Amino acid sequence: MSDAVTPQHPTAPPAAPGAGTGRPDRMRLHVVLPSEAGTMPAPELVRLAREAEELGYAGVWLPDHLLPPGPYGRPPEGYGGVYEALTTLAFLAAATERLTLGTSVLIAPLREPLLLARQSATLARLSGGRFVLGVGVGWQPYEFAAAGVGFGDRGARTDRTLRLVRHLHAGAGGPYDDGQVAFDGRAVFQPVPREPVPFLIGGNSDAALRRAAEFGGHWQGVGLTTGQFAERAAELARRAASRGTRVTAGTRIGWDGPDRTVADVAAEVADWEAAGAADLGVWFGSADAGFADRMRALAERTGVTGGRVAR
């Protein structure tokens, strides 16, 4: 759920699709799909997503990098996102029925905002409301320079993008003018999703917490200890309460080799639940090096059912 591991919407964020039968107070467990090798055939992603659904995981997620300055591969040395995330999730929507489908995370300031609004609304319609738009501001200056986009104002660009997406998804039209995108009352936006697509905001900074509290939905901390995560989640809860929004807190981890046992990883899963994580995404390594085996082993060990851990 980042490849390193809304206007205001004051109602509670929707429960993750696919998470209907587990105890509602238990943590949701997700799969971060492998997208680090250009040689991996696309049907392998379908196979893994379908198996994740059968095993009882809550959702599947894909990272995003448009043009990294180094090879795709195992993080943190390599980059994730060989398969463009939104296109691939549309592909997976047709092959699955219950899983949440999300980006973890899309680099929002590198995307044209009107197009992103259309793509995300279309994904929501195609998937039956299962899509979550996970976004971050980005951290690699090279990609911004290559795309001709300013790096210094990426946070402000992200805010404008999210406000526009939520405005259009709520069925509002023109006139609209945020200083970058402007249209009058003739503008027609379709398809309007049944509910605005929920956002997941990635990042540990105060700005990320402010953004998550403003738009509601979900927040994903990255690279934190459980103690640091609990502190940031508490700060987020304070900010959300002051705005009248609700935000669930989560993170992601990796298990990609034989140096750790399933018991070790299951213990880490329990630690994150104890720290207050409502959602945990797990990246199981490359597709051709035991990803499916580790995904199965963790599902069995945690007893995941209806998207939630059971033990």
Side-chain angles (χ1 to χ4, degrees):
M1 286 172 43
S2 155
D3 70 341
V5 201
T6 25
Q8 194 176 50
H9 190 53
T11 59
T21 60
R23 257 178 47 191
D25 57 332
R26 298 303 302 271
M27 183 173 69
R28 290 182 290 262
L29 196 60
H30 305 256
V31 174
V32 181
L33 290 171
S35 185
E36 299 84 29
T39 57
M40 181 184 65
E44 182 67 8
L45 284 174
V46 172
R47 185 183 73 80
L48 291 172
R50 283 177 170 164
E51 184 162 9
E53 186 167 71
E54 291 169 3
L55 288 169
Y57 285 95
V60 293
W61 302 77
L62 284 169
D64 175 53
H65 275 289
L66 292 182
L67 197 69
Y72 290 98
R74 181 185 185 279
E77 296 85 5
Y79 293 83
V82 165
Y83 284 93
E84 196 283 319
L86 298 178
T87 308
T88 306
L89 290 173
F91 181 55
L92 297 179
T96 58
E97 297 179 354
R98 300 179 302 278
L99 288 169
T100 296
L101 307 164
T103 50
S104 176
V105 289
L106 189 90
I107 306 173
L110 291 181
R111 302 288 179 137
E112 198 287 315
L114 279 174
L115 179 58
L116 182 59
R118 288 286 306 282
Q119 289 171 316
S120 52
T122 300
L123 255 171
R125 182 71 65 88
L126 294 176
S127 66
R130 293 184 287 139
F131 177 60
V132 175
L133 179 58
V135 302
V137 300
W139 56 271
Q140 176 51 262
Y142 179 90
E143 290 185 286
F144 284 78
V149 176
F151 186 73
D153 67 344
R154 65 195 188 282
R157 291 173 62 88
T158 299
D159 289 339
R160 288 195 298 269
T161 293
L162 294 178
R163 290 176 185 135
L164 175 63
V165 170
R166 182 53 54 82
H167 176 85
L168 293 171
H169 287 192
Y176 184 91
D177 188 346
D178 65 8
Q180 297 293 322
V181 176
F183 47 86
D184 62 24
R186 295 172 295 176
V188 175
F189 179 85
Q190 289 288 344
V192 176
R194 178 170 297 180
E195 297 288 341
V197 169
F199 295 143
L200 176 147
I201 306 299
N204 306 328
S205 68
D206 286 345
L209 297 187
R210 187 267 307 156
R211 194 170 289 119
E214 175 182 349
F215 294 107
H218 311 279
W219 167 72
Q220 182 182 87
V222 181
L224 301 174
T225 67
T226 54
Q228 292 167 334
F229 173 86
E231 184 278 326
R232 292 273 79 189
E235 173 61 22
L236 173 61
R238 288 190 290 271
R239 291 172 181 249
S242 71
R243 286 180 171 267
T245 56
R246 289 184 59 192
V247 189
T248 63
T251 189
R252 58 166 286 178
I253 63 174
W255 178 27
D256 64 341
D259 54 324
R260 303 177 70 200
T261 68
V262 66
D264 295 332
V265 179
E268 184 177 2
V269 169
D271 288 344
W272 282 111
E273 185 175 25
D279 294 275
L280 180 68
V282 185
W283 175 69
F284 295 98
S286 61
D288 61 354
F291 187 105
D293 291 340
R294 287 188 285 274
M295 182 173 68
R296 294 184 204 109
L298 188 62
E300 181 178 356
R301 186 69 179 225
T302 61
V304 63
T305 181
R308 299 178 186 272
V309 298
R311 56 177 178 267

